[in-house]
Amino acid sequence: MSARDRDHDAVHAALIADGWTVTNDPLHLHYAGDNLYIDLAAERLLAAEKGTRRIAVEIKSFRGPSELVDLHQAVGQFVVYREVLAELDPQRDLYLAVSEDVRSEVFETGIARMVLTRQIRRLLSYDPEKKVIVRWIP
């Protein structure tokens, strides 16, 4: 199991504040002899739809040697997790969680914006100090 991201507890608290129930911390997946650990899994009852929405959240702080290296690692990990979830738990949506600062500084332009649109598609940004979700994309 990999080490927790430094903002793990802030995202955990932000999901709860946003009305989610954290069901796994981490979410363990076993596929083809490999063990994968997505940072968090959560669900929320949707009264209007009479069902439950289920998500998995991979947290990335982008504190590495460069934003491009961090983007490579985040996208690679995200794509692998998304594909394994599609096989094992297709009703669960995967989100990449980044701080609002990272979202606005990294994912608003250039390669990261294109990758967000084409590969990641689901992103949530959070305020690590206030421990709240700032934005859900989409």
Side-chain angles (χ1 to χ4, degrees):
M1 197 162 57
S2 60
R4 285 184 167 191
D5 189 275
R6 77 177 193 101
D7 288 341
H8 184 95
D9 293 337
V11 175
H12 188 281
L15 286 168
I16 292 170
D18 200 49
W20 293 88
T21 300
V22 174
T23 57
N24 300 85
D25 183 359
L27 174 62
H28 175 227
L29 302 173
H30 184 78
Y31 185 82
D34 292 317
N35 291 300
L36 305 171
Y37 297 90
I38 301 175
D39 290 321
L40 296 167
E43 62 184 38
R44 177 163 51 184
L45 182 63
L46 301 173
E49 298 176 23
K50 296 183 180 171
T52 302
R53 181 157 182 229
R54 297 164 18 115
I55 63 172
V57 179
E58 182 59 25
I59 305 161
K60 293 296 176 202
S61 63
F62 279 68
R63 302 240 181 254
S66 77
E67 290 175 354
L68 194 55
V69 168
D70 289 338
L71 182 65
H72 286 177
Q73 291 175 335
V75 171
Q77 191 172 11
F78 186 89
V79 169
V80 169
Y81 288 174
R82 184 185 65 210
E83 295 306 312
V84 171
L85 272 175
E87 289 288 319
L88 299 179
D89 194 354
Q91 301 303 314
R92 189 178 299 276
D93 294 327
L94 179 62
Y95 280 83
L96 179 65
V98 297
S99 70
E100 177 61 13
D101 288 344
V102 169
R103 187 208 57 79
S104 65
E105 293 169 13
V106 176
F107 285 95
E108 285 292 313
T109 60
I111 293 171
R113 183 174 178 87
M114 183 257 311
V115 168
L116 174 60
T117 303
R118 293 185 183 178
Q119 290 296 321
I120 297 172
R121 297 188 291 259
R122 292 188 182 99
L123 184 92
L124 72 84
S125 66
Y126 58 91
D127 181 321
E129 300 301 319
K130 295 179 182 173
K131 298 180 181 174
V132 296
I133 305 295
V134 175
R135 184 178 306 215
W136 292 89
I137 300 172

